[in-house]
Amino acid sequence: MNKALYVVFLAMALDAVGIGIIMPILPGLLREVTGTDDVAPLYGLLLAIFALMQFFCAPVLGALSDRYGRRPILLLSLIGGALDYLALAWSPNIWVVAGGRILAGITSANMAVITAYITDTTEEAGRAKQFGRMSAAFGVGFIAGPALGGLLGMVSLRAPFLLAASLNGLNFLLALLVLPESRPAATERAPIKLGALNAFGSLRWAVGVPVLARLLVVYVLAEGAGQLAASLWVLNGQDRFAWDASVVGWSLAAFGFLHAIAQTFVTEPVTRRLGERGAFILAAVADGVAYAVMAFATHGLAVFLIMPLLSLGGIVGPALQALMSFRVGQDRQGELQGTLAALGSLVGIGGPLLFTAVYGATRTSMPGAVWLLGVAAYAIAVPLLPSRRALAPTGTPAGAPAGE
């Protein structure tokens, strides 16, 4: 494996630790600064604000990295993330928390830059494997992050944010000192078009690339299913199974561990044997079955028992990202990854608002019913997936320019 990828994966893992640390204690922080126990709507709103900023900023970071290089854009995002966690650590009221989430949404759009870096340094045949390793690195971060957040949160709701800020600072120093640029200075780089900086213009360009439009619909459905778990894991565990911050943290850590194992050791053999399309279908079915169990579970132990299925669902993203990267030329991979990140963020705007609203309306009358929305998303996505022949790598050119 390209040695530079080790640095990128380690940076991803440290970033995940920082994100995971705050997950078990963010609802508690909201209760503290608002003085109310009913924080589900506000929790969903903050998730939507975070995703909104990612939507607008991911294409910008992706296009800027195409023009100026991956390394400087990644460095700027990392130092911004450290400032966000410091703001949350000292937040006296909900407005500072909201401001911190806005800054976090801007800086966390660096996923587009990281995936573009991987595309720069990996041949088509190995991209699903490297995307799987990237996701696994994120999962490894989730092994330590939520566990630390849950334990520290039992002592102080502010301590996890300080640790997250420190880890983001370490992440910045690591990239500053040892991460090389993946795009050589001699590479011809076209001027940035305004459409590439506009999330909607970038989406118009992507829709015009053959086969990619249909894959984008599948991507939206898969992202929606993923947003369901991200939005409700903490609230569902606390309300239905009486989990405290510590149990929430350990549950997320256990899921991160299994997720990392699956994406590190399962993604490559599954994609080699079944292809990226077959791997997506297998992972979608596994995740859909797990969501069905979540809908009817009556004890928290069931969540831990179905984690192997949930971890197999982690193959969905790498397989789909590889399929879409085949459709676009090398000179626009950053824009593609920025577009995907923006589209995922657009789903993340409506998803948390919808899921938390449905959960709040049904948690007493029909506990767990909201998880069936994830089953429905996969039931629609799998039949929509283009045929194997249509998905064959073609070395497709970059396609039409983004709209102005």
Side-chain angles (χ1 to χ4, degrees), residues 95-116:
W95 301 110
V96 177
V97 175
R101 291 290 81 196
I102 291 173
L103 180 58
I106 296 172
T107 59
S108 66
N110 63 17
M111 180 68 73
V113 182
I114 293 175
T115 50

Side-chain angles (χ1 to χ4, degrees), residues 14-153:
L14 289 175
D15 201 27
V17 170
I19 295 173
I21 278 176
I22 72 171
M23 288 185 66
I25 47 85
L26 184 57
L29 178 65
L30 292 177
R31 295 184 184 100
E32 179 181 291
V33 298
T34 62
T36 179
D37 289 332
D38 186 17
V39 297
L42 183 57
Y43 184 70
L45 180 60
L46 287 180
L47 293 178
I49 290 174
F50 178 88
L52 181 65
M53 300 313 300
Q54 283 188 318
F55 171 71
F56 285 112
C57 295
V60 175
L61 294 185
L64 289 175
S65 75
D66 280 341
R67 182 65 180 85
Y68 299 107
R70 317 299 185 201
R71 185 175 183 272
I73 305 304
L74 182 60
L75 290 173
L76 287 174
S77 68
L78 291 175
I79 196 65
L83 294 175
D84 160 56
Y85 292 126
L86 287 176
L88 289 173
W90 304 109
S91 56
N93 53 54
I94 188 58
W95 301 110
V96 177
V97 175
R101 291 290 81 196
I102 291 173
L103 180 58
I106 296 172
T107 59
S108 66
N110 63 17
M111 180 68 73
V113 182
I114 293 175
T115 50
Y117 193 105
I118 293 172
T119 303
D120 289 343
T121 55
T122 309
E123 298 295 331
E124 284 189 356
R127 285 181 190 167
K129 177 175 68 175
Q130 301 300 2
F131 285 142
R133 286 175 170 172
M134 178 190 74
S135 297
F138 195 86
V140 168
F142 255 59
I143 296 171
L148 288 172
L151 292 174
L152 289 175

Side-chain angles (χ1 to χ4, degrees), residues 246-268:
S246 178
V247 177
V248 169
W250 284 114
S251 71
L252 289 169
F255 173 70
F257 174 75
L258 292 175
H259 213 251
I261 293 296
Q263 292 179 321
T264 303
F265 299 106
V266 178
T267 300
E268 181 181 9

